[in-house]
Amino acid sequence: MFKRNFTKLNQAMGFQRSSDRQKVQPGISDVSSNERAPNSCHGAVSDDANYSSWMAEHPSALTSFDQMMKDAKGKKIVVFLDYDGTLSPIVNDPDRAFMSDEMRASVREVAKYFPTAIISGRSRDKVKGFVQLSNIYYAGSHGMDIMAPPRPARSSDGKYPTVVLDRKSNEAVFQPAQKFLPSIQKILKELEEAIMKIQGARVENNRFCVSVHFRQVRDEDYGMLEEKVKSIMKHYPDFRLGWGKKVMEIRPSIEWNKGNALEYLLDTLGLGNCTDVLPVYIGDDRTDEDAFKVIRKRGQGYPIVVASSPKDTTASYSLHDPSEVLTFLLRLARWRKASSSSRSLSQIWGVDMHEENLAYVNESFFGMMI
């Protein structure tokens, strides 16, 4: 048992052979069958060349890790993570997108040393049920449902008026799309009735947004599915329709996305106006681009895209798949543990932090470890 666990740990820390890297499972590609490249040697060589060229512009966060941490010395890192395709593999059944025990342990370890939040398109309760950790913060519905510290945002000035205190958890719940809930329920009902006869199509209630999954829909049925969804949405001008990985996303037309959620969490943590904060955001989908753009605009931080093939992105770095995300998180925790083993909390977070901030960080992030 010890030998097997030790082997797993070695693999997670990045000491596995490249041939052992997690492969993309057949049948779960993000590209439909009519978009896939021909299965030929020439196509494979071309794909490899394109990916190598893309990697030159978006270098691996693993090979760049030492330089990234060298630049991060003396600064405060805050970690933000997408869920599907980042902490868990993309699967045909969205209800079975389980993260591994090793991934859960790595997120728990990172959260011991850094403020950590998961920002997902899933409902907050659903993603929390998948992750099952209490020492991190959760933002569901693409950031429209956030559970955060019960602390006024430094830079809010009335900017976040819809914050209420959750009595059970003693944390603040921020839900900027609250008024859209009745319409969302109507959309859910209409969609379920409209697509129930299309094999493989399914509707997911993510509370403040709705997902129409078509990963298991036949190519010849997709046009009909899209037409039905668009027909329904014509009657709801306050909502917009977008696309993710084999999913149509229906969201309220408000100026709020994962990038806004990242800014809100930084503000709530009292770090929004700090010039020595490095947000690390790891995600794989189009909706994560909003968070990447915020980090690029700040001029400090590490936007990291998870991609196994070239894609348009504003991310600065890349990771190939969730197995590399696991390795990166473990290295990040190990780096902080080594650098902070003989340092006090005030040294880790900077001597300029106020006493009340230190007390808050200590209570929130070190007192909730499980």
Side-chain angles (χ1 to χ4, degrees):
M1 177 67 73
F2 175 80
K3 184 177 181 181
R4 184 165 65 250
N5 290 338
F6 184 73
T7 301
K8 284 185 177 181
L9 180 60
N10 276 339
Q11 291 175 340
M13 296 301 286
F15 299 117
Q16 72 269 44
R17 294 180 297 180
S18 58
S19 60
D20 293 331
R21 178 183 288 172
Q22 177 180 332
K23 303 286 192 304
V24 177
Q25 298 178 25
I28 61 173
S29 171
D30 298 318
V31 184
S32 62
S33 58
N34 61 342
E35 293 173 322
R36 293 189 185 116
N39 185 18
S40 65
C41 294
H42 177 73
V45 171
S46 177
D47 289 345
D48 288 344
N50 289 337
Y51 189 60
S52 296
S53 177
W54 182 84
M55 285 289 291
E57 297 181 8
H58 308 90
S60 168
L62 293 179
T63 58
S64 306
F65 184 84
D66 289 342
Q67 183 60 50
M68 292 166 68
M69 294 305 103
K70 182 179 179 181
D71 296 340
K73 189 174 182 180
K75 298 180 180 179
K76 308 175 186 71
I77 292 177
V78 185
V79 178
F80 299 92
L81 303 165
D82 179 34
Y83 183 76
D84 292 276
T86 300
L87 299 181
S88 73
I90 297 293
V91 295
N92 287 330
D93 183 352
D95 289 336
R96 300 190 63 80
F98 303 122
M99 67 191 303
S100 66
D101 291 338
E102 290 83 3
M103 184 68 83
R104 182 175 293 104
S106 73
V107 176
R108 180 192 295 118
E109 191 70 12
V110 164
K112 290 180 181 179
Y113 302 103
F114 309 100
T116 301
I118 293 179
I119 305 179
S120 172
R122 303 272 195 155
S123 71
R124 176 166 52 86
D125 289 341
K126 185 169 292 185
V127 74
K128 189 174 183 179
F130 278 136
V131 179
Q132 300 175 18
L133 294 176
S134 61
N135 62 338
I136 63 176
Y137 294 109
Y138 296 91
S141 304
H142 299 288
M144 287 184 282
D145 187 10
I146 303 176
M147 185 73 81
R151 177 185 177 84
R154 269 189 189 177
S155 59
S156 64
D157 297 326
K159 189 166 64 174
Y160 309 123
T162 53
V163 177
V164 297
L165 190 66
D166 182 82
R167 295 181 179 180
K168 292 182 180 180
S169 62
N170 196 35
E171 292 181 313
V173 180
F174 176 59
Q175 298 171 336
Q178 182 73 240
K179 69 177 183 179
F180 293 96
L181 279 176
S183 294
I184 291 173
Q185 293 305 310
K186 292 180 182 178
I187 292 172
L188 274 168
K189 185 177 180 181
E190 291 182 34
L191 284 172
E192 288 170 348
E193 292 176 353
I195 72 169
M196 60 186 304
K197 293 183 179 180
I198 300 178
Q199 185 176 354
R202 59 175 300 173
V203 179
E204 183 179 11
N205 180 1
N206 288 317
R207 184 135 195 227
F208 291 98
C209 61
V210 179
S211 298
V212 180
H213 297 276
F214 55 89
R215 184 169 295 276
Q216 294 179 295
V217 172
R218 296 179 302 180
D219 290 344
E220 57 266 32
D221 292 336
Y222 173 75
M224 178 173 57
L225 172 65
E226 184 178 21
E227 183 180 344
K228 287 181 178 292
V229 173
K230 287 183 175 180
S231 177
I232 290 173
M233 296 315 300
K234 288 179 181 178
H235 303 289
Y236 295 92
D238 292 334
F239 289 78
R240 64 177 182 266
L241 177 63
W243 278 259
K245 291 186 173 181
K246 296 293 185 180
V247 63
M248 283 179 265
E249 299 278 7
I250 297 164
R251 291 189 275 169
S253 295
I254 61 174
E255 291 300 320
W256 196 265
N257 53 46
K258 289 185 176 183
N260 300 116
L262 183 151
E263 292 179 311
Y264 173 82
L265 285 162
L266 287 177
D267 281 348
T268 307
L269 292 168
L271 302 173
N273 292 329
C274 296
T275 58
D276 59 347
V277 170
L278 296 179
V280 174
Y281 189 104
I282 308 177
D284 76 308
D285 212 344
R286 293 180 184 180
T287 56
D288 299 308
E289 293 294 326
D290 294 315
F292 296 158
K293 291 175 184 176
V294 166
I295 295 178
R296 294 294 291 264
K297 186 178 179 180
R298 287 177 63 90
Q300 290 194 90
Y302 301 124
I304 305 172
V305 66
V306 182
S308 58
S309 60
K311 63 186 299 184
D312 291 333
T313 181
T314 53
S316 301
Y317 300 92
S318 66
L319 292 169
H320 188 268
D321 52 33
S323 70
E324 289 199 351
V325 175
L326 170 64
T327 303
F328 180 86
L329 293 177
L330 286 171
R331 288 185 182 179
L332 184 62
R334 183 176 61 182
W335 171 81
R336 173 55 84 197
K337 184 176 181 179
S339 63
S340 63
S341 59
S342 59
R343 300 166 65 196
S344 67
L345 184 63
S346 61
Q347 288 175 313
I348 294 172
W349 282 85
V351 295
D352 59 325
M353 292 189 70
H354 295 297
E355 182 178 350
E356 63 177 285
N357 284 347
L358 288 172
Y360 168 70
V361 171
N362 185 39
E363 177 182 358
S364 296
F365 298 106
F366 290 83
M368 295 192 299
M369 292 184 289
I370 59 174

